[in-house]
Structures are given as C-alpha cells and as structure tokens.
C-alpha cells in the first residue's frame, strides 16, 4: 500500500493559489523559492494570512514560467510554506515542502495570480495480494538505484549516496525519484501515477532509461 502523508489535502472544490513551475514537485520534497514577480508577491501575502500557508505547484506543460500565458498540467502538489523571509526590496525567500498531491478541477482566471479549484488525489486502494507484492517491487527498484549510483560514481560525476531510509509517511517512490537525475516528464509521470504499484513501475522504467544513457556515455 502506498505510504500516506500525515497532512490532509485540500477538500474537493477548494480554490487554491497556484504556482506554475518548470518542475514537478513531489510529495515530501523540499522546494526553495525566490518570489519577485508582483503577482506572486500578492499571492504570497494572501497565503501567509492562513494558519497553515500553502499553495499548489504545477508543472508547466508548454510556455514560459514568467509573465503568464503558459499551459499547465492537471496534477499538482500542495506546497506548505515552512519558512519565509521578506527582503527590503520586496523579494521573498521561501522554503516549502511538498505535501499532498492534488487534481486540478478547473483553472480560474489569473486575477492577478493563478488560481484553480482542486480536489484530493489519493492513491487507488490495493488488495492484500498487491500490497504484499509491493514490497518486492520496492526492493528491486532500490537495488537498481544503488547500481545506478555506483555507475554515476564510476563516471566521476558525484559521490552521493542513495538514501533508502524510510522517513515519515511519504511514499518511498517519491523520495527515491527525488534522488535520481530524472527529466520533468518522468517526474510528472511518477506524480500522476494513480497507484503505488504504477508509481514504482514508472520509477523503475525511468531508472532503467537513465542507467542505459549513462552506460552509453561511458562507452565513448
């Protein structure tokens, strides 16, 4: 079974400020942000009025991050603001953490900043047999990631170590994906997978592709 987050997602139909980015934020992932556009300064001010300030982060499907006019995906992640600092020139430095994933029901007018009505996007329920098989899938993918990290070290690119420690309630597939050099399309596919089984399967394929690419580069 997917490891649920301890935070409650926004109720269905909740209007939520949204921050389109060129990255897919995964649950449990730390997100540092610098806010400087006037519309997002206004968004931040509105968010900070709430007891538990948060906003949605959504991957841009097409277009640019600045100035609006972009096309956005329909699965997002709620980003909880855990630290913020407003500088004298009005810029804001934020430290956020990915909480629950959300499904966008409807995009509202950007007036003045992006807003959408959202609903929780929990994992599909699994059978006892599927839950039992999930642990073996996690173990297989963990071994593949360890092998990938060893390959990366052989290539002299990093000495980073794979951390497979279980922290809190965030699904391991999300945490592991955050450690692997994946493209945004793969990260979004992991975020949008409807079940824990499909999510770890998407991660397994992505790790295989990254491994093959690095092996090919080492042949040069």
């Amino acid at each position: 079974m997917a490891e649920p987050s301890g935070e409650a997602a926004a109720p269905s139909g909740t209007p939520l400020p949204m921050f389109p980015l060129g990255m897919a934020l995964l649950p449990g992932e730390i997100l540092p942000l610098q806010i400087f556009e006037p519309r997002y300064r206004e968004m931040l001010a509105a968010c900070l009025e709430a007891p538990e300030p948060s906003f949605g982060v959504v991957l841009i499907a097409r277009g640019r991050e600045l100035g609006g006019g972009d096309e956005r995906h329909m699965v997002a992640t709620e980003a909880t603001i855990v630290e913020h600092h407003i500088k004298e020139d009005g810029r804001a430095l934020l430290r956020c953490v990915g909480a629950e994933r959300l499904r966008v029901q409807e995009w509202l007018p950007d007036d003045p900043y992006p807003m959408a009505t959202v609903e929780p996007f929990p994992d599909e329920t699994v059978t006892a047999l599927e839950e039992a098989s999930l642990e073996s899938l996690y173990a297989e993918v963990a071994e593949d990631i360890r092998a990938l990290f060893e390959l990366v070290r052989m290539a002299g690119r990093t000495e980073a170590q794979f951390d497979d420690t279980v922290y809190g309630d965030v699904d391991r597939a999300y945490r592991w994906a955050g450690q692997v050099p994946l493209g945004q399309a793969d990260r979004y596919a992991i975020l949008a997978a409807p079940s824990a089984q499909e999510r770890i399967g998407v991660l397994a394929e992505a790790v295989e592709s990254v491994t093959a690419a690095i092996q090919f580069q080492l042949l040069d």
Side-chain angles (χ1 to χ4, degrees), residues 1-214:
M1 179 179 295
E3 301 164 3
S5 167
E7 299 291 333
S12 181
T14 299
L16 188 69
M18 302 294 287
F19 201 122
L21 284 177
M23 64 164 288
L25 177 65
L26 302 175
E29 193 169 33
I30 300 298
L31 175 66
L33 278 177
Q34 179 175 211
I35 305 294
F36 55 88
E37 275 194 79
R39 60 179 179 154
Y40 290 120
R41 292 185 193 180
E42 190 170 340
M43 182 196 81
L44 176 61
C47 290
L48 292 177
E49 293 178 358
E52 297 182 2
S54 68
F55 52 89
V57 171
V58 64
L59 176 65
I60 294 172
R62 188 176 294 106
R64 296 179 65 250
E65 206 169 307
L66 299 177
D70 51 272
E71 295 181 23
R72 304 152 188 168
H73 284 285
M74 299 300 285
V75 177
T77 304
E78 187 170 10
T80 301
I81 301 172
V82 293
E83 292 180 26
H84 72 278
H85 175 66
I86 310 297
K87 301 179 75 67
E88 291 183 0
D89 61 6
R91 289 180 299 129
L93 304 179
L94 305 184
R95 184 172 182 268
C96 309
V97 61
E100 295 295 320
R101 64 178 182 167
L102 306 168
R103 195 193 308 271
V104 174
Q105 296 175 304
E106 180 184 9
W107 284 101
L108 304 175
D110 289 13
D111 187 19
Y113 48 80
M115 292 277 294
T117 56
V118 299
E119 63 182 352
F121 185 14
D123 279 348
E124 296 175 351
T125 56
V126 298
T127 66
L129 181 61
E130 289 171 331
E131 185 175 353
S133 68
L134 187 56
E135 284 303 318
S136 65
L137 291 175
Y138 281 129
E140 291 173 11
V141 174
E143 284 304 310
D144 290 342
I145 296 176
R146 290 190 190 95
L148 172 60
F149 271 57
E150 181 60 31
L151 190 64
V152 170
R153 282 193 292 273
M154 288 173 55
R157 298 185 181 183
T158 180
E159 291 298 321
Q161 299 290 324
F162 172 49
D163 181 6
D164 61 352
T165 308
V166 176
Y167 295 106
D169 296 325
V170 177
D171 186 354
R172 283 165 279 179
Y174 289 135
R175 291 193 301 98
W176 295 354
Q179 299 180 55
V180 176
L182 301 180
Q184 295 305 321
D186 285 330
R187 286 171 59 90
Y188 182 77
I190 289 166
L191 177 66
S195 68
Q197 285 78 8
E198 291 190 48
R199 181 160 52 249
I200 196 68
V202 172
L203 178 58
E205 292 181 5
V207 169
E208 182 179 349
S209 295
V210 172
T211 300
I214 294 177

